[in-house]
Every structure is written in C-alpha cells, then in structure tokens.
Amino acid sequence: MNITARPHDLLWLRHDTALLGVTDPWVAELWHCQQPVVVRRDVMKQGLIPVGVRGQARHQRAAGWVAPTEVVRVVSPEMLVVPRQLNHHPTVQALVVLRQHHWPWEWGVTGSTGFALATGLPVLHQDSDLDLLIRAPKPLRPADVVHWQQVLSMLPCRADSQIETPQGGFALNEWLRSGRVLLKTATGPRLTDNPWAEETP
C-alpha cells in the first residue's frame, strides 16, 4: 500500500520479519506483527520508515525500520479520539470531555492510551497519563491555547500535549513556561524560540 507515515502513527506489518534492524532480545520473544509499531522521528534511510517497538514494561522500547511495502494498516492519533473501548478508564473519560469542545486544530491521542485504544492490550494503569498531539502547521492563537489548557486542568487525569509543526515536535508546557523549546526534528533536537521557522545553516 502507498502510505504517508508521520511520527506517532501506528503501523501494522505484513509479517514478523518485516521489522528490520532490531537487536533487543525481548523483541523476538514478545513482539509479533499483530501488534503495531509506532513511527518515530528520524531521517528515512534507503526508503525505510523509522519505527519504535514497545514491550510490556516501560523500559522495553526498541528502534527499528520497516519498508513501506510491508505496511498493511495505518492508524493515526486523530483516528483514536473516538473511544470504542476502555470507557471506564480516566484517560478515556478525558478524551470524551475533550471531544465536547470545538478545537481549531486537528488533535489526537498517542502514548499508552493511544496504543491501548488501537490494540485492546492491557498497557494502561489507573494513574496513566494522557498524551495528546496537536497538529499546528501555523502558530497557535494564544486564546485557543489558554482554553485548551483550562480544559486539560479539569480532566480526571494528567494530560501532556505535544505540538507538531512542519519542523518537528515540542512540549506545549515547555513552550508556555519559557517561550523556548527543545524541538524534536528528524535530524535531532534543537533549541529554538520559533518552532515554526526553518532551521538556518
């Protein structure tokens, strides 16, 4: 299939051997192609998509690569904001609250809640955080950000927001604290006070 994979997208692969470049022993024991891998931020090499694999424990994270031709399904963070399961969990209840508001941007859910909603696997615990993603091709209006933060402060769980710009991603809380952020880009992190600006040589 022809795919456009963005960081945080979940990918299902055709078979177990489609996952390349992973040497961590636990991956061979615990991972199989019925579980998705997540697109990570890196420079594509030889046409391969950079991905990450998550295990059952928090420390079990591994980096690898997949060929686009081996991807059979793609689920974006935006596709997971309508919960179809786990409705009792605080992070899922929080998603229901967020959906009651009209936001001027595309947004989605990542992290353990996104993985649980996409797979049904029991990776959540009662005090899990909610990791959110905001697509921001242009700078956000301050009033909209204030409204978003006000709603987040009333949710039944802790929520963290990652802002995705054309140049990379950054933590909203960091931006609000200092106006400067560590922007995660495909070529590595860089400190900037304008995460929408292209990097100058």
Side-chain angles (χ1 to χ4, degrees):
M1 63 183 295
N2 292 324
I3 69 164
T4 301
R6 299 184 291 182
H8 304 288
D9 284 352
L10 295 173
L11 310 181
W12 278 258
L13 309 183
R14 197 176 305 280
H15 46 73
D16 293 357
T17 57
L19 181 60
L20 307 174
V22 177
T23 57
D24 304 58
W26 64 265
V27 175
E29 297 174 11
L30 300 178
W31 181 83
H32 51 79
C33 63
Q34 281 75 43
Q35 300 175 16
V37 295
V38 61
V39 179
R40 58 184 174 84
R41 211 180 302 277
D42 203 341
V43 177
M44 289 184 66
K45 62 179 184 180
Q46 300 175 335
L48 300 177
I49 302 169
V51 298
V53 186
R54 68 179 295 153
Q56 297 171 344
R58 185 181 294 270
H59 69 276
Q60 290 177 325
R61 300 290 187 270
W65 304 84
V66 300
T69 53
E70 299 294 347
V71 177
V72 295
R73 182 184 174 205
V74 180
V75 171
S76 70
E78 293 92 325
M79 296 166 65
L80 298 170
V81 300
V82 183
R84 295 178 177 84
Q85 55 185 332
L86 308 171
N87 288 330
H88 62 284
H89 196 275
T91 60
V92 179
Q93 293 171 359
L95 286 179
V96 174
V97 173
L98 283 169
R99 290 185 61 246
Q100 293 172 354
H101 298 261
H102 175 71
W103 303 108
W105 49 60
E106 292 184 18
W107 65 280
V109 56
T110 63
S112 56
T113 300
F115 192 85
L117 289 172
T119 65
L121 295 172
V123 297
L124 291 176
H125 46 81
Q126 198 61 23
D127 57 350
S128 290
D129 293 347
L130 176 62
D131 295 308
L132 298 164
L133 179 76
I134 292 176
R135 304 284 184 192
K138 296 180 179 179
L140 305 175
R141 289 178 56 228
D144 295 329
V145 174
V146 169
H147 182 204
W148 175 263
Q149 291 294 91
Q150 288 173 339
V151 174
L152 261 57
S153 70
M154 296 183 289
L155 296 179
C157 63
R158 173 182 164 83
D160 291 313
S161 304
Q162 174 94 356
I163 310 300
E164 285 286 316
T165 79
Q167 310 306 321
F170 66 91
L172 178 57
N173 284 338
E174 184 181 0
W175 174 257
L176 294 175
R177 265 196 314 270
S178 65
R180 288 175 66 81
V181 294
L182 194 65
L183 185 69
K184 300 173 185 175
T185 76
T187 56
R190 63 182 171 94
L191 193 63
T192 178
D193 57 6
N194 186 354
W196 286 270
E198 293 187 21
E199 185 175 13
T200 54

